[in-house]
Amino acid sequence: MFEGIDFLNKQWFWAFLILPLAILWYIFKHKKQTAELKISSLQGFKLTSSWLPKLKHGLFILRLLALALLITALARPQTVDVSSKTKTTRGIDIVMAIDVSASMLAKDLSPNRLEALKNVAAEFIKGRPNDRIGLVEYAGESYTRTPVTSDKSIVLRSLKDIKYNTIIEGGTAIGMGLATAVNRIKDSKAKSKVIILLTDGVNNTGFIDPKIASELAVEYGIKTYTIGLGTNGMALSPVAIDPRNGQFQYARVQVEIDEVLLKDIAKVTGGRYFRATNNKKLEEIYGEINKLEKTDVEEFKYYNYEEKYRPLVLLAGLFLLIEFLLRNTLFRSFI
């Protein structure tokens, strides 16, 4: 009956202790008012029974019910309808710079480094509904895959379509990948500008030095998180293309990641360096970045209160009216 109803003045429920006291008082009073007549025999008397005297106790029950309803009404039952509205006050612009060199097809992550990254990055993007995100691809050169946008469906489709191709120059140009990412958000008015730069190798090509790209990030107040992707030791990696079918041939190759450079980039820009040696670790890293970069969101709650005491008062009044009418009409000669 009271599901979803709250009582504002719960202390009034203590008044229910009056009810058992009232019942005891009524029993005591009834016994005291009952007259006794002792006779030696009932012979000569005509006895008839009436149901009205038995029903007169219903008058007291009506009073008790009215009192219980009034106490409940005084406790102020009410329902509340809560609605909320969220507002992003300070968003974050994020550019994910992704290494798409041939080594990203290595199988030390399942099914390979690039696909593992895409799966984890997609979940990361879905978990940032209030931020703008862009994508940069780089290998021996770099380019913007998706400009910074709040439309996550566009970003997710672009991420899904990322794959190794021979159109982009081979190699790993970390400096160019970082510089392109900086260029995408340097003029952003967001409260925080972040680059997540991922690579599985060393800087071995490109005409922009990674340290210069780092200085550009610092100049524009862009924090950079760097991720080294690859197991420790040897990994099954693509080494050559089979001319017969155009497919990569794989061999076990020593994993080489320039962690010194990646740590330096993260340090000077105010970010952090992470090493992802397997799928689980990669998920944990993106989860950690997700916690570190929180978007300020204001939540406004609206409360609509609806009082429920009026029907109780009306019902109590009805019981008292019925009791008054019966007492002064049908049961008048018995009271």
Side-chain angles (χ1 to χ4, degrees):
M1 179 180 178
F2 296 111
E3 185 178 354
I5 295 179
D6 190 25
F7 294 89
L8 190 62
N9 303 320
K10 294 183 177 68
Q11 64 272 18
W12 275 102
F13 284 126
W14 287 103
F16 273 108
L17 294 174
I18 297 173
L19 299 184
L21 295 176
I23 293 172
L24 291 173
W25 172 82
Y26 179 78
I27 294 172
F28 175 76
K29 182 182 176 184
H30 177 70
K31 285 184 177 180
K32 192 174 181 181
Q33 289 180 344
T34 302
E36 291 185 2
L37 176 64
K38 293 182 179 181
I39 56 177
S40 58
S41 175
L42 292 176
Q43 274 188 322
F45 290 94
K46 185 179 180 181
L47 298 177
T48 60
S49 60
S50 174
W51 52 271
L52 284 177
K54 297 177 182 178
L55 291 179
K56 74 175 183 178
H57 300 299
L59 301 177
F60 177 68
I61 294 173
L62 286 172
R63 285 187 181 184
L64 285 182
L65 289 174
L67 180 59
L69 289 170
L70 289 173
I71 292 172
T72 306
L74 287 170
R76 190 125 173 237
Q78 56 184 210
T79 58
V80 57
D81 179 30
V82 183
S83 60
S84 62
K85 182 179 180 181
T86 58
K87 177 184 176 183
T88 304
T89 55
R90 303 177 72 192
I92 298 175
D93 279 359
I94 301 172
V95 172
M96 304 173 71
I98 301 172
D99 186 347
V100 292
S101 58
S103 58
M104 284 291 287
L105 300 178
K107 298 183 182 295
D108 47 351
L109 276 75
S110 179
N112 59 49
R113 293 173 186 172
L114 184 58
E115 291 302 315
L117 167 65
K118 286 164 60 176
N119 292 336
V120 173
E123 294 304 313
F124 175 82
I125 293 168
K126 292 174 186 175
R128 311 290 302 192
N130 301 308
D131 301 322
R132 300 197 309 162
I133 297 178
L135 299 176
V136 166
E137 289 185 32
Y138 73 94
E141 53 187 341
S142 64
Y143 70 96
T144 301
R145 179 85 188 190
T146 306
V148 175
T149 176
S150 58
D151 191 334
K152 301 303 183 299
S153 61
I154 292 176
V155 182
L156 289 168
R157 281 199 301 269
S158 295
L159 178 67
K160 185 178 180 180
D161 292 338
I162 289 178
K163 60 185 68 175
Y164 169 77
N165 62 75
T166 56
I167 298 174
I168 190 170
E169 185 181 331
T172 305
I174 295 174
M176 293 187 65
L178 179 56
T180 301
V182 169
N183 189 53
R184 295 317 311 175
I185 55 171
K186 63 183 178 66
D187 298 322
S188 168
K189 303 301 181 184
K191 71 119 179 184
S192 183
K193 295 176 282 189
V194 173
I195 292 172
I196 303 175
L197 184 141
L198 180 141
T199 185
D200 65 346
V202 298
N203 187 70
N204 54 24
T205 188
F207 56 84
I208 299 179
D209 188 282
K211 292 185 178 180
I212 294 176
S214 300
E215 292 170 3
L216 286 172
V218 173
E219 182 180 347
Y220 290 106
I222 303 170
K223 187 187 299 182
T224 304
Y225 293 100
T226 57
I227 302 174
L229 184 61
T231 189
N232 294 311
M234 309 289 285
L236 193 62
S237 306
V239 292
I241 295 179
D242 190 334
R244 293 170 297 178
N245 54 24
Q247 300 295 317
F248 271 111
Q249 294 178 323
Y250 283 79
R252 300 195 66 81
V253 177
Q254 179 67 39
V255 176
E256 294 182 1
I257 299 174
D258 194 342
E259 293 191 286
V260 174
L261 173 61
L262 296 178
K263 288 177 181 178
D264 184 60
I265 292 172
K267 182 178 179 181
V268 298
T269 60
R272 283 180 57 182
Y273 168 71
F274 302 92
R275 178 68 184 271
T277 55
N278 53 52
N279 291 62
K280 187 175 185 341
K281 186 64 177 175
L282 184 62
E283 291 175 8
E284 291 173 355
I285 289 169
Y286 273 89
E288 181 68 17
I289 295 173
N290 194 39
K291 292 177 184 177
L292 290 170
E293 295 298 329
K294 289 293 184 184
T295 303
D296 292 344
V297 177
E298 285 184 352
E299 183 177 17
F300 300 93
K301 284 192 174 182
Y302 304 92
Y303 297 86
N304 181 29
Y305 294 96
E306 185 177 351
E307 300 289 348
K308 296 293 185 181
Y309 68 86
R310 293 181 183 86
L312 300 176
V313 174
L314 291 175
L315 187 58
L318 178 62
F319 284 164
L320 290 175
L321 178 62
I322 294 173
E323 189 270 346
F324 175 79
L325 293 175
L326 291 175
R327 178 177 292 274
N328 290 279
T329 55
L330 192 61
F331 293 103
R332 186 170 184 177
S333 60
F334 295 99
I335 299 174

